[in-house]
Short mmCIF file of all heavy atoms in Angstrom, two decimals:
data_model
loop_
_atom_site.label_atom_id
_atom_site.label_comp_id
_atom_site.label_asym_id
_atom_site.label_seq_id
_atom_site.Cartn_x
_atom_site.Cartn_y
_atom_site.Cartn_z
N MET W 142 186.16 91.31 -96.28
CA MET W 142 186.57 90.85 -94.96
C MET W 142 188.01 90.41 -95.01
O MET W 142 188.42 89.75 -95.97
CB MET W 142 185.76 89.60 -94.59
CG MET W 142 184.67 89.77 -93.67
SD MET W 142 183.98 88.09 -93.42
CE MET W 142 182.48 88.61 -92.69
N THR W 143 188.80 90.78 -94.01
CA THR W 143 190.17 90.28 -93.90
C THR W 143 190.40 89.83 -92.46
O THR W 143 189.80 90.36 -91.53
CB THR W 143 191.22 91.34 -94.26
OG1 THR W 143 191.07 92.46 -93.39
CG2 THR W 143 191.09 91.78 -95.70
N ALA W 144 191.28 88.85 -92.30
CA ALA W 144 191.64 88.37 -90.97
C ALA W 144 193.01 87.69 -91.07
O ALA W 144 193.39 87.18 -92.12
CB ALA W 144 190.61 87.37 -90.44
N ASP W 145 193.73 87.71 -89.96
CA ASP W 145 195.01 87.02 -89.84
C ASP W 145 194.90 86.05 -88.68
O ASP W 145 194.39 86.41 -87.62
CB ASP W 145 196.14 88.02 -89.60
CG ASP W 145 196.29 88.97 -90.79
OD1 ASP W 145 196.39 88.46 -91.92
OD2 ASP W 145 196.31 90.19 -90.58
N VAL W 146 195.36 84.82 -88.88
CA VAL W 146 195.21 83.77 -87.87
C VAL W 146 196.56 83.11 -87.65
O VAL W 146 197.21 82.66 -88.60
CB VAL W 146 194.17 82.72 -88.34
CG1 VAL W 146 193.98 81.63 -87.30
CG2 VAL W 146 192.83 83.38 -88.66
N CYS W 147 197.00 83.05 -86.38
CA CYS W 147 198.29 82.41 -86.07
C CYS W 147 198.19 80.90 -86.33
O CYS W 147 197.10 80.35 -86.47
CB CYS W 147 198.71 82.70 -84.62
SG CYS W 147 197.76 81.83 -83.35
N GLU W 148 199.34 80.25 -86.41
CA GLU W 148 199.37 78.83 -86.75
C GLU W 148 198.64 77.97 -85.73
O GLU W 148 197.91 77.04 -86.10
CB GLU W 148 200.83 78.37 -86.88
CG GLU W 148 200.97 77.00 -87.49
CD GLU W 148 202.41 76.65 -87.82
OE1 GLU W 148 203.32 77.47 -87.57
OE2 GLU W 148 202.62 75.53 -88.32
N ALA W 149 198.77 78.27 -84.45
CA ALA W 149 198.09 77.48 -83.41
C ALA W 149 196.57 77.59 -83.54
O ALA W 149 195.86 76.58 -83.47
CB ALA W 149 198.54 77.92 -82.02
N CYS W 150 196.07 78.79 -83.76
CA CYS W 150 194.62 78.97 -83.91
C CYS W 150 194.12 78.33 -85.20
O CYS W 150 193.04 77.74 -85.24
CB CYS W 150 194.25 80.46 -83.88
SG CYS W 150 194.37 81.19 -82.23
N LEU W 151 194.92 78.41 -86.26
CA LEU W 151 194.54 77.78 -87.52
C LEU W 151 194.41 76.27 -87.34
O LEU W 151 193.45 75.66 -87.80
CB LEU W 151 195.57 78.11 -88.61
CG LEU W 151 195.27 77.51 -89.98
CD1 LEU W 151 194.02 78.14 -90.59
CD2 LEU W 151 196.45 77.68 -90.90
N ASP W 152 195.38 75.66 -86.64
CA ASP W 152 195.32 74.21 -86.39
C ASP W 152 194.06 73.84 -85.61
O ASP W 152 193.37 72.88 -85.95
CB ASP W 152 196.57 73.74 -85.64
CG ASP W 152 197.82 73.77 -86.50
OD1 ASP W 152 197.71 73.85 -87.74
OD2 ASP W 152 198.92 73.73 -85.92
N ARG W 153 193.74 74.62 -84.57
CA ARG W 153 192.53 74.36 -83.77
C ARG W 153 191.27 74.50 -84.62
O ARG W 153 190.37 73.67 -84.56
CB ARG W 153 192.46 75.35 -82.60
CG ARG W 153 192.92 74.80 -81.29
CD ARG W 153 192.57 75.68 -80.11
NE ARG W 153 192.90 77.09 -80.25
CZ ARG W 153 194.11 77.62 -80.06
NH1 ARG W 153 195.13 76.84 -79.73
NH2 ARG W 153 194.31 78.91 -80.21
N TRP W 154 191.24 75.56 -85.43
CA TRP W 154 190.08 75.82 -86.28
C TRP W 154 189.87 74.68 -87.27
O TRP W 154 188.76 74.16 -87.43
CB TRP W 154 190.31 77.15 -86.99
CG TRP W 154 189.23 77.62 -87.90
CD1 TRP W 154 187.87 77.48 -87.73
CD2 TRP W 154 189.40 78.32 -89.14
NE1 TRP W 154 187.20 78.07 -88.78
CE2 TRP W 154 188.12 78.59 -89.65
CE3 TRP W 154 190.51 78.76 -89.83
CZ2 TRP W 154 187.92 79.28 -90.84
CZ3 TRP W 154 190.31 79.45 -91.01
CH2 TRP W 154 189.03 79.70 -91.51
N MET W 155 190.93 74.25 -87.93
CA MET W 155 190.81 73.23 -88.97
C MET W 155 190.49 71.85 -88.42
O MET W 155 189.91 71.03 -89.12
CB MET W 155 192.06 73.21 -89.84
CG MET W 155 192.15 74.45 -90.70
SD MET W 155 193.34 74.27 -91.99
CE MET W 155 193.07 75.80 -92.87
N ARG W 156 190.88 71.58 -87.18
CA ARG W 156 190.51 70.29 -86.56
C ARG W 156 188.99 70.16 -86.46
O ARG W 156 188.47 69.05 -86.40
CB ARG W 156 191.15 70.14 -85.19
CG ARG W 156 192.58 69.68 -85.24
CD ARG W 156 193.08 69.18 -83.89
NE ARG W 156 193.12 70.22 -82.88
CZ ARG W 156 194.15 71.05 -82.65
NH1 ARG W 156 195.24 70.94 -83.39
NH2 ARG W 156 194.09 71.95 -81.70
N GLY W 157 188.27 71.27 -86.44
CA GLY W 157 186.82 71.24 -86.36
C GLY W 157 186.12 71.08 -87.71
O GLY W 157 184.91 70.94 -87.76
N PHE W 158 186.87 71.11 -88.81
CA PHE W 158 186.27 70.96 -90.14
C PHE W 158 185.75 69.54 -90.32
O PHE W 158 186.41 68.57 -89.92
CB PHE W 158 187.31 71.24 -91.23
CG PHE W 158 187.67 72.68 -91.43
CD1 PHE W 158 187.35 73.66 -90.52
CD2 PHE W 158 188.37 73.06 -92.56
CE1 PHE W 158 187.69 75.00 -90.73
CE2 PHE W 158 188.72 74.38 -92.79
CZ PHE W 158 188.38 75.35 -91.86
N GLN W 159 184.61 69.39 -90.93
CA GLN W 159 184.07 68.07 -91.26
C GLN W 159 184.87 67.42 -92.38
O GLN W 159 185.03 66.20 -92.41
CB GLN W 159 182.59 68.18 -91.67
CG GLN W 159 181.68 68.58 -90.54
CD GLN W 159 181.67 67.54 -89.44
OE1 GLN W 159 181.52 66.34 -89.68
NE2 GLN W 159 181.85 67.98 -88.21
N ILE W 160 185.35 68.22 -93.32
CA ILE W 160 186.20 67.73 -94.41
C ILE W 160 187.53 68.47 -94.29
O ILE W 160 187.57 69.70 -94.37
CB ILE W 160 185.56 68.00 -95.79
CG1 ILE W 160 184.21 67.29 -95.87
CG2 ILE W 160 186.50 67.58 -96.91
CD1 ILE W 160 183.40 67.65 -97.09
N ALA W 161 188.59 67.73 -94.07
CA ALA W 161 189.91 68.34 -93.86
C ALA W 161 190.39 69.04 -95.12
O ALA W 161 190.15 68.58 -96.23
CB ALA W 161 190.92 67.27 -93.46
N PRO W 162 191.07 70.17 -94.95
CA PRO W 162 191.65 70.85 -96.12
C PRO W 162 192.70 69.97 -96.79
O PRO W 162 193.34 69.15 -96.14
CB PRO W 162 192.32 72.09 -95.52
CG PRO W 162 191.78 72.22 -94.15
CD PRO W 162 191.34 70.87 -93.72
N GLU W 163 192.86 70.15 -98.09
CA GLU W 163 193.90 69.41 -98.81
C GLU W 163 195.25 69.99 -98.44
O GLU W 163 195.42 71.20 -98.36
CB GLU W 163 193.69 69.53 -100.31
CG GLU W 163 192.53 68.71 -100.81
CD GLU W 163 192.46 68.72 -102.34
OE1 GLU W 163 193.52 68.77 -103.01
OE2 GLU W 163 191.33 68.69 -102.84
N MET W 164 196.21 69.13 -98.20
CA MET W 164 197.57 69.55 -97.86
C MET W 164 198.52 68.93 -98.87
O MET W 164 198.40 67.75 -99.20
CB MET W 164 197.94 69.06 -96.45
CG MET W 164 197.05 69.58 -95.35
SD MET W 164 197.34 71.29 -94.95
CE MET W 164 198.80 71.14 -93.95
N THR W 165 199.44 69.74 -99.36
CA THR W 165 200.51 69.24 -100.21
C THR W 165 201.82 69.73 -99.62
O THR W 165 201.85 70.74 -98.91
CB THR W 165 200.37 69.74 -101.67
OG1 THR W 165 200.35 71.16 -101.66
CG2 THR W 165 199.11 69.22 -102.31
#
């Protein structure tokens, strides 16, 4: 499976995560 996600959609998607992704 492959997919490309723009920054705005990625931000919306990740706000729904129960555990936030690690950011450095």
Side-chain angles (χ1 to χ4, degrees):
M142 258 182 195
T143 59
D145 297 309
V146 181
C147 73
E148 191 171 0
C150 287
L151 181 67
D152 290 343
R153 261 192 311 279
W154 181 37
M155 290 195 175
R156 279 195 296 272
F158 286 14
Q159 292 297 312
I160 300 171
E163 287 187 34
M164 300 286 281
T165 57

